[in-house]
Amino acid sequence: MDKNFQEEFTQIIKFKPPLYKQRHQFVKDLVEKYKPKKVADLGCADCSLLRMLKFCSCIEVLAGLDICANVMQEKMHTLSPLPVDYLQPSERSLTVTLHHGSVAHKDPCMLGFDLVTCIELIEHLEEPELKKFPEVVFGFMAPSIVVISTPNSEFNPLLPGVMLYRHPDHKFEWNQAQFQSWALETARCYGYSVEFTGVGHPPTGMEKAGFCTQIGVFIRKYPRTGETEQSEKPTEAVYKTVFKAVYPSLKDEKYLQNAVISEVIFTAQIIKHRLMSKHHEYGDDPERKSKFQPSMDCFSDCLGKLVVEKNMEPFVSGNEVYIPLATIFSFPKVNRLCGTFEKLCKLIAGKVTLNSDGSAVMFNIERENEEN
Ligand code: SAH
């Protein structure tokens, strides 16, 4: 490499967005492509990748592992559900767990993952740990996909201030040939294919240096059989769980019930409101009032393509307004939440005021007016 050329670039190389963000974005894109349900991040440090991944709606189980409990615990509270998560529980379930332990040890809590990420981890491993790493990750955990990123030492001369390694805790930094031969051998040994890529492009004219961060994406070639999973399952847990958050989800009957009740009352209020404004147009003339035929046309925007039957029409009788449950059920949001009409009835039983045969939500206009 021409020394002057190299010095010129050393001054100007600055990645935008920063390299760590590009690495995390790479993982996020991979998640969006393969839609794994269970993701484990090994060497998760301050949990910043986990914090990003918890917004990927396909993920239901998210786990982090690090040998340093302090670094994990510093910001782990940011993985807890927020008030908004309780106000609007998500349709998916999500559990986030953090474990304290080493990637050199097997623990049954790391079984069953679809994607395992090791972002800037391997270069922190001592030789004996690095030796055990493939057996733990590829042999034991054996997820469908493994992503490993590590510095590319060929890029170091282009980085300002890098003497030996990029970080004082790095035990080694590999060039492209070293990483690729380790990765190819690991993939061959455990039945994976591997593709190489990276983030942090080299400057024009220096393409040979390769990406600043080199990445291997390993895909398992064959499905795991139940037999291998059983035989390899160790009996002992060695990791210590330091954090666990179960997010509120509509899959949990308790949250589903609350959501359905709110939506039923809200929908019934809208229907009632529209009905009453029509009703008032007819004034107090009893003859005109008796002819009052509210039309479901006024709800057609909300009902979409659903068929409106005659017995679904809301009506006023004396001081009571009746909104048939069948009408409420035909509103898309209620319909999606409950799935079946029977489920709707079950979830609101005893929680919403209904008429005597339980077929309609009932409002007393006089009482409501007094309360207002
Ligand atoms: N993955 C993080 C950065 C990782 S830095 C990110 O994307 O930003 C490397 C991390 O690996 C450190 O937090 C370190 O504590 C952890 N680590 C080092 N040796 C380990 C081991 N044997 N098992 C698990 N974690 C380890």
Side-chain angles (χ1 to χ4, degrees):
M1 200 181 296
D2 179 301
K3 192 111 200 303
N4 292 338
F5 192 51
Q6 179 187 319
E7 268 166 16
E8 196 181 308
F9 280 112
T10 308
Q11 300 312 309
I12 54 161
I13 285 190
K14 207 169 176 203
F15 294 106
K16 244 181 165 186
L19 216 49
Y20 79 94
K21 281 199 180 162
Q22 292 192 37
R23 288 190 288 261
H24 292 179
Q25 187 60 45
F26 179 88
V27 173
K28 192 166 179 246
D29 293 345
L30 210 69
V31 165
E32 262 143 32
K33 181 174 173 195
Y34 291 102
K35 308 230 175 300
K37 276 191 178 171
K38 299 182 178 187
V39 180
D41 185 28
L42 312 183
C44 63
D46 66 356
C47 310
S48 49
L49 177 58
L50 295 171
R51 227 168 0 259
M52 186 180 194
L53 294 181
K54 80 171 191 166
F55 294 104
C56 297
S57 59
C58 60
I59 298 177
E60 295 181 359
V61 175
L62 206 47
L65 171 74
D66 205 287
I67 202 162
C68 179
N70 287 347
V71 69
M72 250 190 320
Q73 280 166 319
E74 219 168 89
K75 290 192 187 162
M76 70 183 183
H77 61 276
T78 58
L79 292 171
S80 298
L82 299 167
V84 67
D85 294 314
Y86 288 98
L87 289 170
Q88 270 191 323
S90 157
E91 285 190 21
R92 61 141 174 187
S93 60
L94 174 64
T95 304
V96 184
T97 320
L98 296 179
H99 305 281
H100 176 217
S102 169
V103 287
H105 299 136
K106 297 175 183 176
D107 187 296
C109 75
M110 281 291 151
L111 290 171
F113 284 88
D114 304 308
L115 168 66
V116 167
T117 58
C118 310
I119 305 302
E120 307 296 276
L121 164 70
I122 57 170
E123 64 277 8
H124 290 265
L125 303 180
E126 300 282 0
E127 211 180 312
E129 294 175 315
L130 184 67
K131 274 223 163 77
K132 289 185 186 150
F133 174 85
E135 173 50 26
V136 175
V137 174
F138 295 89
F140 173 70
M141 295 183 194
S144 313
I145 309 168
V146 180
V147 187
I148 297 181
S149 86
T150 192
N152 163 20
S153 64
E154 285 163 83
F155 204 98
N156 287 357
L158 297 172
L159 297 172
V162 173
M163 300 306 284
L164 179 62
Y165 297 142
R166 295 182 196 177
H167 190 279
D169 189 51
H170 286 180
K171 310 298 184 296
F172 61 90
E173 283 177 5
W174 282 333
N175 62 28
Q176 295 172 87
Q178 286 169 315
F179 176 55
Q180 291 182 14
S181 81
W182 175 87
L184 285 166
E185 177 54 17
T186 303
R188 190 195 59 76
C189 212
Y190 293 96
Y192 281 74
S193 64
V194 56
E195 281 193 10
F196 300 101
T197 176
V199 292
H201 281 273
T204 318
M206 311 222 72
E207 286 77 9
K208 265 197 159 169
F211 289 105
C212 187
T213 295
Q214 45 186 343
I215 299 176
V217 179
F218 300 74
I219 312 264
R220 203 183 57 222
K221 284 186 186 164
Y222 319 104
R224 252 172 94 80
T225 64
E227 205 180 282
T228 42
E229 266 169 50
Q230 274 309 311
S231 62
E232 286 175 6
K233 202 169 176 172
T235 47
E236 241 187 288
V238 289
Y239 297 166
K240 187 173 168 233
T241 303
V242 291
F243 174 87
K244 184 169 179 175
V246 179
Y247 276 66
S249 154
L250 295 175
K251 292 215 169 101
D252 180 334
E253 190 94 351
K254 175 176 76 191
Y255 293 110
L256 177 66
Q257 185 177 41
N258 283 342
V260 168
I261 292 168
S262 313
E263 200 55 35
V264 163
I265 294 172
F266 176 73
T267 308
Q269 289 281 7
I270 291 177
I271 299 173
K272 188 195 79 176
H273 187 76
R274 295 199 192 173
L275 181 67
M276 295 316 290
S277 43
K278 282 248 166 198
H279 191 52
H280 288 309
E281 279 173 25
Y282 290 87
D284 282 336
D285 178 346
E287 205 176 299
R288 294 184 69 196
K289 217 169 178 174
S290 68
K291 285 186 195 144
F292 172 55
Q293 291 285 323
S295 162
M296 288 305 289
D297 290 351
C298 56
F299 310 120
S300 55
D301 312 349
C302 314
L303 288 170
K305 290 199 177 91
L306 291 158
V307 181
V308 178
E309 291 167 17
K310 252 292 169 260
N311 65 359
M312 287 169 69
E313 296 200 347
F315 61 96
V316 182
S317 170
N319 278 327
E320 316 285 358
V321 182
Y322 296 86
I323 320 286
L325 279 181
T327 309
I328 295 171
F329 181 63
S330 61
F331 275 61
K333 193 155 177 205
V334 179
N335 197 282
R336 208 184 57 239
L337 279 171
C338 303
T340 65
F341 187 70
E342 288 67 35
K343 181 100 187 188
L344 166 67
C345 297
K346 189 179 155 227
L347 288 168
I348 64 166
K351 304 282 181 187
V352 177
T353 311
L354 301 176
N355 63 346
S356 54
D357 70 0
S359 65
V361 173
M362 198 172 80
F363 291 106
N364 184 297
I365 313 165
E366 214 168 47
R367 199 177 314 132
E368 283 208 345
N369 286 344
E370 275 168 22
E371 281 168 11
N372 292 336

